[in-house]
Amino acid sequence: MKILAVWGSLRRGSSNETVLRALAPVGVEVVLFGDGATNGIGQLPLFNPDVEAAGEEAQGGAVAAWRAALAGADAVVISSPEYAHGVTGVLKNALDWVVGSGELVGKPVALINASSRVTVAQASLVEILTTMDARVVVDVAGTLAVPLAEKGSDEEGLLAAPEARKLLAGALEKLVEAVGDV
Ligand SMILES: Cc1cc2nc3c(=O)[nH]c(=O)nc-3n(C[C@H](O)[C@H](O)[C@H](O)COP(=O)(O)O)c2cc1C
């Protein structure tokens, strides 16, 4: 079983990326969408229906890579900051690229957020994903803010906090169960 992890920040040392890195030791295979140094969704061109209609050559390889990564995943986990009470532009852009192609249709999705203040963007993300016919099966926010702040910003620090470990394991377990339900 393969889970694709997507984060909505291009910032080096992103706390949302850290949360996703902490998922890997908890169980099943979790692959972050990136090259190890950068966030893969940051390579996508700005969504434009004309470019979409023009096909892969006009889009560069990034759109095809994004769609293939989603298609090859059994489930997706997303962690994203909120910007001005909205979903970050880079994440919304990435989602717009798969509205028409449909890689998220029926796909189990877990939303995990490190911050306790992201309620507006998190609710908006649920609305967007539901509109795209994805299955949002986990929606957690806030509980990781304290361990992230207390233990520093790396995944080992996060996993050293029992409550964070429990939350991440619980989220993955629900996601894996949802894949079984499909
Ligand atoms: C332009 C901008 C707008 C932001 N707006 C909000 C906001 O509306 N609500 C909020 O809770 N945090 C907001 N933040 C704070 C970020 O969500 C927070 O710093 C987050 O942890 C960054 O995630 P990252 O570490 O993955 O980059 C904003 C940050 C930036 C840079």
Side-chain angles (χ1 to χ4, degrees), residues 97-140:
W97 273 110
V98 293
V99 170
S101 53
E103 285 78 7
L104 279 172
V105 172
K107 190 89 59 179
V109 177
L111 300 180
I112 301 176
N113 210 295
S115 168
S116 55
R117 299 179 302 144
V118 296
T119 48
V120 182
Q122 188 91 347
S124 170
L125 206 43
V126 172
E127 176 68 20
I128 292 163
L129 289 162
T130 305
T131 302
M132 293 170 70
D133 288 330
R135 295 168 55 216
V136 179
V137 295
V138 177
D139 176 6
V140 285

Short mmCIF file of all heavy atoms in Angstrom, two decimals, residues 97-140:
data_model
loop_
_atom_site.label_atom_id
_atom_site.label_comp_id
_atom_site.label_asym_id
_atom_site.label_seq_id
_atom_site.Cartn_x
_atom_site.Cartn_y
_atom_site.Cartn_z
N TRP A 97 -5.21 21.31 -11.08
CA TRP A 97 -4.68 20.51 -12.20
C TRP A 97 -5.32 19.12 -12.29
O TRP A 97 -5.21 18.45 -13.32
CB TRP A 97 -3.15 20.37 -12.11
CG TRP A 97 -2.42 21.52 -12.77
CD1 TRP A 97 -1.70 22.50 -12.16
CD2 TRP A 97 -2.37 21.80 -14.17
NE1 TRP A 97 -1.20 23.38 -13.10
CE2 TRP A 97 -1.60 22.97 -14.34
CE3 TRP A 97 -2.90 21.18 -15.31
CZ2 TRP A 97 -1.35 23.53 -15.59
CZ3 TRP A 97 -2.65 21.74 -16.56
CH2 TRP A 97 -1.88 22.90 -16.69
N VAL A 98 -5.98 18.66 -11.23
CA VAL A 98 -6.56 17.31 -11.30
C VAL A 98 -8.09 17.31 -11.18
O VAL A 98 -8.70 16.27 -11.02
CB VAL A 98 -5.91 16.34 -10.28
CG1 VAL A 98 -4.47 16.08 -10.66
CG2 VAL A 98 -5.99 16.85 -8.85
N VAL A 99 -8.69 18.50 -11.27
CA VAL A 99 -10.16 18.57 -11.27
C VAL A 99 -10.69 17.83 -12.50
O VAL A 99 -11.56 16.95 -12.40
CB VAL A 99 -10.66 20.04 -11.27
CG1 VAL A 99 -12.17 20.10 -11.52
CG2 VAL A 99 -10.32 20.72 -9.95
N GLY A 100 -10.14 18.15 -13.65
CA GLY A 100 -10.63 17.57 -14.90
C GLY A 100 -10.13 16.16 -15.14
O GLY A 100 -10.87 15.31 -15.65
N SER A 101 -8.89 15.89 -14.75
CA SER A 101 -8.30 14.57 -15.04
C SER A 101 -8.76 13.51 -14.04
O SER A 101 -8.73 12.32 -14.34
CB SER A 101 -6.77 14.68 -15.06
OG SER A 101 -6.30 15.27 -13.88
N GLY A 102 -9.17 13.92 -12.84
CA GLY A 102 -9.90 13.03 -11.95
C GLY A 102 -9.10 12.05 -11.10
O GLY A 102 -9.67 11.11 -10.54
N GLU A 103 -7.79 12.27 -10.91
CA GLU A 103 -7.00 11.31 -10.13
C GLU A 103 -7.44 11.21 -8.67
O GLU A 103 -7.11 10.24 -7.98
CB GLU A 103 -5.51 11.65 -10.20
CG GLU A 103 -4.84 11.30 -11.51
CD GLU A 103 -5.13 12.31 -12.61
OE1 GLU A 103 -5.74 13.36 -12.32
OE2 GLU A 103 -4.76 12.05 -13.77
N LEU A 104 -8.14 12.22 -8.17
CA LEU A 104 -8.55 12.17 -6.76
C LEU A 104 -9.96 11.59 -6.57
O LEU A 104 -10.40 11.38 -5.43
CB LEU A 104 -8.48 13.57 -6.13
CG LEU A 104 -7.08 14.01 -5.68
CD1 LEU A 104 -7.10 15.47 -5.25
CD2 LEU A 104 -6.56 13.13 -4.54
N VAL A 105 -10.64 11.30 -7.66
CA VAL A 105 -12.01 10.79 -7.54
C VAL A 105 -12.01 9.45 -6.79
O VAL A 105 -11.31 8.52 -7.17
CB VAL A 105 -12.66 10.63 -8.94
CG1 VAL A 105 -14.01 9.93 -8.84
CG2 VAL A 105 -12.82 12.00 -9.61
N GLY A 106 -12.76 9.40 -5.70
CA GLY A 106 -12.88 8.18 -4.90
C GLY A 106 -11.68 7.87 -4.04
O GLY A 106 -11.67 6.88 -3.30
N LYS A 107 -10.66 8.70 -4.10
CA LYS A 107 -9.40 8.42 -3.37
C LYS A 107 -9.55 8.82 -1.90
O LYS A 107 -9.97 9.93 -1.60
CB LYS A 107 -8.29 9.24 -4.03
CG LYS A 107 -6.90 8.93 -3.60
CD LYS A 107 -6.20 7.84 -4.38
CE LYS A 107 -6.04 8.02 -5.85
NZ LYS A 107 -5.35 6.94 -6.52
N PRO A 108 -9.19 7.92 -0.97
CA PRO A 108 -9.22 8.32 0.44
C PRO A 108 -8.14 9.37 0.72
O PRO A 108 -7.00 9.22 0.29
CB PRO A 108 -8.90 7.01 1.19
CG PRO A 108 -9.17 5.92 0.21
CD PRO A 108 -8.87 6.50 -1.14
N VAL A 109 -8.55 10.42 1.43
CA VAL A 109 -7.63 11.52 1.75
C VAL A 109 -7.68 11.80 3.26
O VAL A 109 -8.76 11.86 3.85
CB VAL A 109 -8.01 12.81 0.99
CG1 VAL A 109 -7.09 13.97 1.38
CG2 VAL A 109 -7.96 12.59 -0.53
N ALA A 110 -6.50 11.96 3.84
CA ALA A 110 -6.41 12.39 5.24
C ALA A 110 -5.86 13.81 5.28
O ALA A 110 -4.87 14.11 4.62
CB ALA A 110 -5.48 11.45 6.03
N LEU A 111 -6.52 14.66 6.04
CA LEU A 111 -6.02 16.02 6.26
C LEU A 111 -5.48 16.11 7.67
O LEU A 111 -6.20 15.85 8.64
CB LEU A 111 -7.15 17.04 6.09
CG LEU A 111 -7.85 17.07 4.73
CD1 LEU A 111 -8.95 18.12 4.73
CD2 LEU A 111 -6.84 17.35 3.62
N ILE A 112 -4.20 16.43 7.76
CA ILE A 112 -3.57 16.57 9.08
C ILE A 112 -2.99 17.96 9.15
O ILE A 112 -2.31 18.39 8.22
CB ILE A 112 -2.43 15.55 9.27
CG1 ILE A 112 -2.96 14.12 9.12
CG2 ILE A 112 -1.74 15.73 10.61
CD1 ILE A 112 -1.88 13.07 9.20
N ASN A 113 -3.24 18.67 10.21
CA ASN A 113 -2.61 19.98 10.32
C ASN A 113 -1.94 20.21 11.66
O ASN A 113 -2.49 19.87 12.70
CB ASN A 113 -3.63 21.09 10.04
CG ASN A 113 -2.92 22.28 9.44
OD1 ASN A 113 -2.09 22.89 10.10
ND2 ASN A 113 -3.18 22.55 8.19
N ALA A 114 -0.75 20.78 11.59
CA ALA A 114 0.05 20.98 12.79
C ALA A 114 -0.45 22.15 13.64
O ALA A 114 -0.15 22.23 14.82
CB ALA A 114 1.50 21.23 12.40
N SER A 115 -1.17 23.03 13.02
CA SER A 115 -1.56 24.26 13.73
C SER A 115 -2.98 24.17 14.25
O SER A 115 -3.84 23.52 13.66
CB SER A 115 -1.43 25.45 12.77
OG SER A 115 -2.05 26.58 13.34
N SER A 116 -3.23 24.85 15.36
CA SER A 116 -4.58 24.85 15.92
C SER A 116 -5.45 25.95 15.32
O SER A 116 -6.63 26.04 15.60
CB SER A 116 -4.49 25.05 17.44
OG SER A 116 -3.76 26.24 17.69
N ARG A 117 -4.85 26.81 14.46
CA ARG A 117 -5.58 28.00 14.01
C ARG A 117 -6.05 27.92 12.55
O ARG A 117 -6.47 28.91 11.99
CB ARG A 117 -4.69 29.23 14.19
CG ARG A 117 -4.29 29.48 15.64
CD ARG A 117 -3.40 30.70 15.72
NE ARG A 117 -2.21 30.54 14.89
CZ ARG A 117 -1.62 31.51 14.21
NH1 ARG A 117 -2.11 32.73 14.24
NH2 ARG A 117 -0.56 31.27 13.47
N VAL A 118 -5.96 26.74 11.98
CA VAL A 118 -6.19 26.66 10.53
C VAL A 118 -7.62 26.26 10.15
O VAL A 118 -7.85 25.75 9.09
CB VAL A 118 -5.23 25.65 9.86
CG1 VAL A 118 -3.80 26.10 9.98
CG2 VAL A 118 -5.43 24.26 10.44
N THR A 119 -8.55 26.52 11.03
CA THR A 119 -9.90 25.98 10.84
C THR A 119 -10.56 26.42 9.54
O THR A 119 -11.27 25.64 8.91
CB THR A 119 -10.79 26.39 12.03
OG1 THR A 119 -10.60 27.79 12.23
CG2 THR A 119 -10.41 25.65 13.29
N VAL A 120 -10.33 27.65 9.11
CA VAL A 120 -11.01 28.14 7.90
C VAL A 120 -10.46 27.43 6.66
O VAL A 120 -11.21 26.91 5.82
CB VAL A 120 -10.86 29.68 7.75
CG1 VAL A 120 -11.62 30.16 6.53
CG2 VAL A 120 -11.34 30.38 9.00
N ALA A 121 -9.13 27.39 6.54
CA ALA A 121 -8.51 26.73 5.38
C ALA A 121 -8.79 25.24 5.37
O ALA A 121 -9.02 24.64 4.32
CB ALA A 121 -7.01 26.99 5.36
N GLN A 122 -8.78 24.63 6.56
CA GLN A 122 -9.02 23.18 6.65
C GLN A 122 -10.45 22.88 6.18
O GLN A 122 -10.67 21.95 5.41
CB GLN A 122 -8.80 22.72 8.10
CG GLN A 122 -8.82 21.23 8.29
CD GLN A 122 -7.46 20.57 8.16
OE1 GLN A 122 -6.48 21.17 7.70
NE2 GLN A 122 -7.35 19.32 8.56
N ALA A 123 -11.41 23.68 6.62
CA ALA A 123 -12.81 23.49 6.20
C ALA A 123 -12.93 23.71 4.69
O ALA A 123 -13.65 22.98 4.00
CB ALA A 123 -13.72 24.43 6.96
N SER A 124 -12.21 24.68 4.19
CA SER A 124 -12.25 24.98 2.76
C SER A 124 -11.66 23.81 1.96
O SER A 124 -12.17 23.43 0.91
CB SER A 124 -11.47 26.27 2.52
OG SER A 124 -11.27 26.48 1.17
N LEU A 125 -10.61 23.24 2.50
CA LEU A 125 -9.97 22.09 1.84
C LEU A 125 -10.92 20.90 1.78
O LEU A 125 -11.00 20.19 0.76
CB LEU A 125 -8.69 21.74 2.61
CG LEU A 125 -7.55 21.03 1.89
CD1 LEU A 125 -7.27 21.60 0.52
CD2 LEU A 125 -6.30 21.11 2.77
N VAL A 126 -11.66 20.68 2.85
CA VAL A 126 -12.66 19.60 2.86
C VAL A 126 -13.69 19.86 1.76
O VAL A 126 -14.04 18.96 0.98
CB VAL A 126 -13.36 19.50 4.24
CG1 VAL A 126 -14.53 18.52 4.17
CG2 VAL A 126 -12.38 19.08 5.33
N GLU A 127 -14.15 21.11 1.66
CA GLU A 127 -15.15 21.47 0.64
C GLU A 127 -14.61 21.24 -0.78
O GLU A 127 -15.27 20.67 -1.65
CB GLU A 127 -15.54 22.95 0.85
CG GLU A 127 -16.48 23.51 -0.18
CD GLU A 127 -17.88 22.90 -0.12
OE1 GLU A 127 -18.24 22.33 0.92
OE2 GLU A 127 -18.60 23.00 -1.15
N ILE A 128 -13.36 21.68 -1.00
CA ILE A 128 -12.74 21.54 -2.33
C ILE A 128 -12.61 20.06 -2.69
O ILE A 128 -12.99 19.63 -3.79
CB ILE A 128 -11.35 22.22 -2.35
CG1 ILE A 128 -11.49 23.74 -2.22
CG2 ILE A 128 -10.56 21.85 -3.60
CD1 ILE A 128 -10.21 24.46 -1.81
N LEU A 129 -12.07 19.29 -1.76
CA LEU A 129 -11.82 17.87 -2.04
C LEU A 129 -13.13 17.10 -2.22
O LEU A 129 -13.22 16.21 -3.08
CB LEU A 129 -10.97 17.26 -0.91
CG LEU A 129 -9.52 17.75 -0.90
CD1 LEU A 129 -8.86 17.47 0.44
CD2 LEU A 129 -8.73 17.08 -2.03
N THR A 130 -14.13 17.45 -1.43
CA THR A 130 -15.42 16.79 -1.56
C THR A 130 -16.05 17.11 -2.92
O THR A 130 -16.62 16.25 -3.58
CB THR A 130 -16.36 17.22 -0.40
OG1 THR A 130 -15.68 16.97 0.83
CG2 THR A 130 -17.66 16.46 -0.41
N THR A 131 -15.90 18.37 -3.33
CA THR A 131 -16.40 18.79 -4.65
C THR A 131 -15.71 18.00 -5.76
O THR A 131 -16.30 17.70 -6.80
CB THR A 131 -16.16 20.31 -4.85
OG1 THR A 131 -16.81 20.99 -3.79
CG2 THR A 131 -16.69 20.80 -6.18
N MET A 132 -14.44 17.65 -5.52
CA MET A 132 -13.67 16.88 -6.51
C MET A 132 -13.93 15.38 -6.39
O MET A 132 -13.27 14.58 -7.04
CB MET A 132 -12.17 17.17 -6.32
CG MET A 132 -11.79 18.60 -6.66
SD MET A 132 -10.10 19.01 -6.16
CE MET A 132 -9.16 18.02 -7.32
N ASP A 133 -14.87 14.99 -5.51
CA ASP A 133 -15.25 13.58 -5.30
C ASP A 133 -14.16 12.74 -4.65
O ASP A 133 -14.13 11.51 -4.80
CB ASP A 133 -15.72 12.92 -6.60
CG ASP A 133 -17.09 13.44 -7.02
OD1 ASP A 133 -17.88 13.80 -6.12
OD2 ASP A 133 -17.36 13.49 -8.23
N ALA A 134 -13.23 13.40 -3.95
CA ALA A 134 -12.29 12.63 -3.11
C ALA A 134 -13.05 12.23 -1.83
O ALA A 134 -14.09 12.80 -1.52
CB ALA A 134 -11.08 13.49 -2.77
N ARG A 135 -12.52 11.23 -1.11
CA ARG A 135 -13.16 10.80 0.15
C ARG A 135 -12.30 11.28 1.31
O ARG A 135 -11.26 10.68 1.59
CB ARG A 135 -13.26 9.28 0.20
CG ARG A 135 -14.17 8.66 -0.86
CD ARG A 135 -13.98 7.16 -0.91
NE ARG A 135 -14.18 6.52 0.37
CZ ARG A 135 -13.49 5.47 0.80
NH1 ARG A 135 -12.54 4.93 0.07
NH2 ARG A 135 -13.73 4.95 1.99
N VAL A 136 -12.73 12.36 1.96
CA VAL A 136 -11.96 12.85 3.11
C VAL A 136 -12.31 12.00 4.33
O VAL A 136 -13.42 12.08 4.85
CB VAL A 136 -12.24 14.35 3.37
CG1 VAL A 136 -11.44 14.84 4.58
CG2 VAL A 136 -11.91 15.18 2.13
N VAL A 137 -11.37 11.16 4.76
CA VAL A 137 -11.68 10.20 5.82
C VAL A 137 -11.03 10.58 7.16
O VAL A 137 -11.37 10.01 8.20
CB VAL A 137 -11.27 8.76 5.41
CG1 VAL A 137 -12.10 8.28 4.23
CG2 VAL A 137 -9.79 8.67 5.09
N VAL A 138 -10.09 11.51 7.12
CA VAL A 138 -9.45 11.99 8.35
C VAL A 138 -9.35 13.51 8.24
O VAL A 138 -8.95 14.03 7.20
CB VAL A 138 -8.03 11.41 8.52
CG1 VAL A 138 -7.36 11.98 9.77
CG2 VAL A 138 -8.05 9.90 8.58
N ASP A 139 -9.73 14.20 9.31
CA ASP A 139 -9.65 15.66 9.33
C ASP A 139 -9.23 16.08 10.73
O ASP A 139 -10.06 16.22 11.61
CB ASP A 139 -11.03 16.23 8.94
CG ASP A 139 -11.09 17.75 9.01
OD1 ASP A 139 -10.04 18.39 9.24
OD2 ASP A 139 -12.19 18.30 8.84
N VAL A 140 -7.92 16.21 10.94
CA VAL A 140 -7.43 16.58 12.27
C VAL A 140 -6.59 17.84 12.18
O VAL A 140 -5.79 18.00 11.27
CB VAL A 140 -6.61 15.46 12.96
CG1 VAL A 140 -7.50 14.36 13.46
CG2 VAL A 140 -5.53 14.91 12.06
#
